[in-house]
Amino acid sequence: MKKITFLLMYTSIIFSQTQEVTYSISFNTDVDMIEDYLGKNAQDKVKLYTTTLLFNDTFMKYFQNPSKLSRDDYSILEAATYTEGNYYKQNNSNVVFLEEKEPLHKDTLLSYRYITHWEYATDVKEILGYTCKKASCVLKIDYGNGKLDTLYPITAWYTEKLAFGCGPKGISVPEGFILELEDKIVTYTAQTILKSTENNIFFDTHKKVITMEDLFRKVYKLKE
């Protein structure tokens, strides 16, 4: 039954149009703090780091783009923006699947759920020609044990003219598509929206899916 479900998911991807959104990032922290990690030309380095969200009417995939940054600078920005891998999500679900780049996890996918109780404001602004509405919440996460951990406040600007349920890192507003997302450290802002020739935006179904809670337990046992 599970294989049939995945087959239906994959088939739906092939026959729907894929688009891609490129996001720039900016830091909401003090410039001096950024320069402590990236050096005096930190702002220029940040401009070289972008992310992409591929999406269709059913699924989304979010990842960081290749860059001319040094390996050290790239790794710092990966960690600061929590984009250390590929993030997959079905648009009508809040379950996120993370495909990490670490060799230790090459055969597995980590799953967890973002919990968002959005508060909607009347504010509007335009991003890339789309009228966007504002929503805010305190982001929470379920690592797979049924308990909610509180992360941090976030603000989203979303449009109702694109696929619903898509956003950076798999964070989503059910009523729209997030074109700008702000957390306590970083703001992700859409710069372009283009048609994509990429069709395969769902994860490798041969990989084992484990919850973040399973991973924590595994790491804990290794340390014993």
Side-chain angles (χ1 to χ4, degrees):
M1 184 65 182
K2 188 174 181 181
K3 290 184 178 180
I4 294 175
T5 302
F6 281 140
L7 180 60
L8 290 173
M9 289 177 177
Y10 184 76
T11 304
S12 68
I13 292 169
I14 295 175
F15 293 104
S16 57
Q17 175 63 53
T18 303
Q19 298 183 72
E20 62 180 64
V21 178
T22 300
Y23 294 87
S24 64
I25 67 167
S26 58
F27 283 89
N28 306 323
T29 54
D30 190 281
V31 174
D32 292 338
M33 186 180 296
I34 303 171
E35 290 180 346
D36 286 343
Y37 292 97
L38 295 173
K40 290 297 180 182
N41 59 340
Q43 298 287 14
D44 292 330
K45 291 179 179 178
V46 169
K47 292 177 183 177
L48 295 175
Y49 190 89
T50 61
T51 60
T52 291
L53 194 158
L54 296 173
F55 70 97
N56 54 35
D57 292 337
T58 310
F59 297 101
M60 58 150 282
K61 174 184 178 181
Y62 180 76
F63 55 92
Q64 68 275 54
N65 295 316
S67 171
K68 295 180 180 180
L69 291 166
S70 70
R71 180 177 296 180
D72 288 344
D73 289 339
Y74 191 80
S75 296
I76 289 170
L77 288 170
E78 274 186 321
T81 58
Y82 305 102
T83 48
E84 301 175 272
N86 298 320
Y87 297 73
Y88 301 88
K89 191 178 80 69
Q90 193 169 352
N91 296 355
N92 63 357
S93 170
N94 62 353
V95 178
V96 178
F97 298 94
L98 172 58
E99 183 179 49
E100 291 188 316
K101 295 190 298 183
E102 291 290 334
L104 179 65
H105 304 147
K106 64 182 179 69
D107 296 320
T108 61
L109 287 154
L110 302 178
S111 71
Y112 52 90
R113 293 191 306 130
Y114 282 130
I115 308 300
T116 51
H117 298 296
W118 294 103
E119 295 182 4
Y120 298 93
T122 57
D123 309 53
V124 295
K125 71 175 179 179
E126 190 170 289
I127 301 175
L128 297 178
Y130 292 91
T131 299
C132 294
K133 298 180 179 180
K134 183 181 180 181
S136 302
C137 74
V138 175
L139 184 65
K140 297 181 179 181
I141 191 169
D142 175 0
Y143 290 113
N145 57 6
K147 299 178 181 179
L148 301 184
D149 285 5
T150 299
L151 298 181
Y152 39 74
I154 57 174
T155 298
W157 291 90
Y158 65 96
T159 175
E160 297 172 333
K161 299 299 183 181
L162 295 170
F164 288 9
C166 297
K169 299 181 290 184
I171 297 171
S172 60
V173 176
E175 294 82 0
F177 188 108
I178 297 177
L179 289 179
E180 184 171 287
L181 180 69
E182 178 183 347
D183 62 33
K184 65 177 183 179
I185 298 176
V186 181
T187 296
Y188 310 79
T189 304
Q191 298 299 316
T192 61
I193 302 177
L194 303 169
K195 290 183 178 180
S196 175
T197 57
E198 179 65 55
N199 286 319
N200 184 14
I201 62 173
F202 201 61
F203 59 75
D204 184 351
T205 56
H206 295 94
K207 291 190 174 185
K208 181 181 179 181
V209 177
I210 64 172
T211 66
M212 291 288 281
E213 178 69 12
D214 292 334
L215 176 64
F216 296 155
R217 289 176 180 172
K218 182 178 180 180
V219 172
Y220 181 77
K221 287 183 178 179
L222 290 174
K223 290 182 177 181
E224 288 181 335

